[in-house]
């Protein structure tokens, strides 16, 4: 076939059509359809519109694709947290290179395809017990610093409470830290939004 196929070709030929000619990407690592991009979503939709079972082999499950995701009913709940912290950004050229503080606002979001026996994604009290407790114990009223910050030694001598991370303690990295701690606790977290000021916030979402 010498020209770009249309949706009928996609539906009729399925995976027998050379990958490079289909409404799909090619995932380089496996030589298969990725299952997540817009082209893969269009491919899935073409089969669905024709009421034909999609025989395509995807690297990722089709339910993560754009086209099929819209047919999946998902529930989300979010909880907000607030705490105070100090930090500074190493190698920064502006005022943030100096030690300073923020009043942080955090919104963590959790997701499930189905509700539990009590009709919940997750009990808000459980979120508080796990996430808020960790924030209060590890981040609240502490200096959050990069592990190689030369100020650490002096602050430790003064008895200042610290929380050290591998990268710069930016809003982005703190959002990721909170996300990872929630995930490690087994919570179905999908997103953490972190405000370091009322006008500036960063978001970390589940990979993929």
């Amino acid at each position: 076939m010498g020209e770009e196929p249309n949706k009928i070709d996609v539906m009729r030929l399925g995976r027998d059509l050379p990958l490079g000619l289909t409404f799909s990407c090619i995932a380089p690592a496996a030589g298969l359809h990725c299952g997540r991009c817009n082209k893969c979503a269009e491919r899935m939709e073409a089969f669905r519109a024709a009421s034909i079972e999609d025989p395509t082999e995807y690297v990722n499950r089709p339910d993560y694709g754009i086209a099929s995701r819209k047919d999946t009913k998902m529930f989300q709940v979010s909880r907000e947290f607030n705490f105070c912290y100090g930090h500074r950004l190493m190698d920064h050229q502006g005022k943030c290179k100096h030690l300073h503080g923020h009043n942080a606002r955090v919104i963590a979001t959790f997701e499930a395809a189905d509700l539990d026996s009590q009709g919940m994604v997750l009990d808000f009290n459980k979120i508080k017990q796990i996430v808020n407790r960790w924030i209060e114990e590890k981040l609240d009223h502490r200096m959050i610093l990069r592990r190689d910050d030369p100020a650490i030694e002096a602050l430790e001598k003064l008895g200042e409470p610290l929380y050290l991370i591998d990268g710069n303690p930016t809003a982005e990295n703190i959002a990721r830290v909170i996300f990872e701690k929630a995930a490690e606790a087994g919570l179905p977290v999908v997103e953490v939004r972190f405000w370091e000021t009322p006008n500036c916030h960063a978001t970390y979402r589940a990979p993929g």
Side-chain angles (χ1 to χ4, degrees), residues 61-101:
R61 289 177 57 84
D63 53 304
Y64 287 102
I66 297 171
S68 59
R69 175 111 184 203
K70 67 186 181 184
D71 294 331
T72 304
K73 293 180 174 63
M74 301 296 292
F75 298 91
Q76 288 189 341
V77 295
S78 299
R79 176 141 191 165
E80 182 173 334
F81 311 95
N82 297 275
F83 69 97
C84 301
Y85 73 101
H87 73 159
R88 74 169 179 174
L89 304 184
M90 301 292 292
D91 306 316
H92 194 272
Q93 301 304 312
K95 294 186 294 184
C96 290
K97 67 182 179 181
H98 302 296
L99 295 172
H100 63 284

Side-chain angles (χ1 to χ4, degrees), residues 19-116:
L19 285 170
L21 297 177
T22 67
F23 286 103
S24 176
C25 72
I26 299 177
L32 301 173
H33 304 287
C34 78
R36 288 182 172 172
C37 69
N38 286 330
K39 289 185 178 180
C40 281
E42 185 175 2
R43 180 184 183 85
M44 296 173 204
E45 183 61 33
F47 281 106
R48 185 161 35 248
S51 298
I52 299 174
E53 182 179 354
D54 187 349
T56 311
E57 294 183 11
Y58 297 100
V59 174
N60 300 292
R61 289 177 57 84
D63 53 304
Y64 287 102
I66 297 171
S68 59
R69 175 111 184 203
K70 67 186 181 184
D71 294 331
T72 304
K73 293 180 174 63
M74 301 296 292
F75 298 91
Q76 288 189 341
V77 295
S78 299
R79 176 141 191 165
E80 182 173 334
F81 311 95
N82 297 275
F83 69 97
C84 301
Y85 73 101
H87 73 159
R88 74 169 179 174
L89 304 184
M90 301 292 292
D91 306 316
H92 194 272
Q93 301 304 312
K95 294 186 294 184
C96 290
K97 67 182 179 181
H98 302 296
L99 295 172
H100 63 284
H102 293 287
N103 294 316
R105 177 190 178 208
V106 179
I107 296 180
T109 299
F110 307 86
E111 184 177 270
D114 297 300
L115 302 179
D116 64 17

Side-chain angles (χ1 to χ4, degrees), residues 177-202:
V177 167
I178 296 171
F179 180 101
E180 290 173 348
K181 294 303 177 182
E184 288 172 10
L187 302 181
V189 59
V190 293
E191 179 182 275
V192 169
R193 285 183 287 166
F194 181 92
W195 281 261
E196 66 175 22
T197 73
N199 299 319
C200 301
H201 84 276

